[in-house]
Amino acid sequence: MSSLSKRVVYIAAFTVLGILVQFIAHAVIETWYIGLLLEDFSRYGFGWTWETWVLIHNILSFILLAAGALAGFSAGQFWWQEIYVKRRRFWRRR
């Protein structure tokens, strides 16, 4: 496998990792807040309807997906540089 294809796979794996991490964070936050809405909608609903909350969910889902992918992509590029280009080994003592 060439260095370019290793780099592509490495960065793609980090991108997928970023998407998975944001998915878990999204699920935790959404589960928590939906619990609050179901407990006392008049208090936590800000006067909005369920349709408005669904729209907010759709918009934030897209934003979080893009942010997770971007964060994963950036982390992949950073760690590729640190480990394979600069040859830093963080797990060994010098």
Side-chain angles (χ1 to χ4, degrees):
M1 185 181 274
S2 72
S3 178
L4 179 61
S5 59
K6 284 181 187 177
R7 183 174 188 264
V8 168
V9 169
Y10 189 87
I11 293 173
F14 260 92
T15 303
V16 170
L17 178 63
I19 290 170
L20 291 174
V21 169
Q22 77 75 30
F23 179 76
I24 292 169
H26 180 183
V28 167
I29 292 167
E30 188 169 292
T31 302
W32 167 71
Y33 204 78
I34 287 175
L36 291 177
L37 289 173
L38 292 174
E39 181 182 316
D40 190 358
F41 189 80
S42 61
R43 180 176 179 189
Y44 297 107
F46 299 112
W48 300 335
T49 64
W50 278 107
E51 291 78 19
T52 304
W53 280 107
V54 170
L55 178 63
I56 291 169
H57 163 76
N58 292 337
I59 292 169
L60 287 179
S61 293
F62 178 76
I63 291 170
L64 287 172
L65 177 66
L70 182 62
F73 181 79
S74 298
Q77 286 185 321
F78 173 80
W79 287 111
W80 178 268
Q81 287 293 317
E82 291 295 310
I83 294 172
Y84 294 103
V85 175
K86 295 177 183 176
R87 301 273 186 205
R88 293 187 183 175
R89 302 288 188 236
F90 296 97
W91 54 89
R92 289 190 210 162
R93 292 187 175 199
R94 294 181 181 176

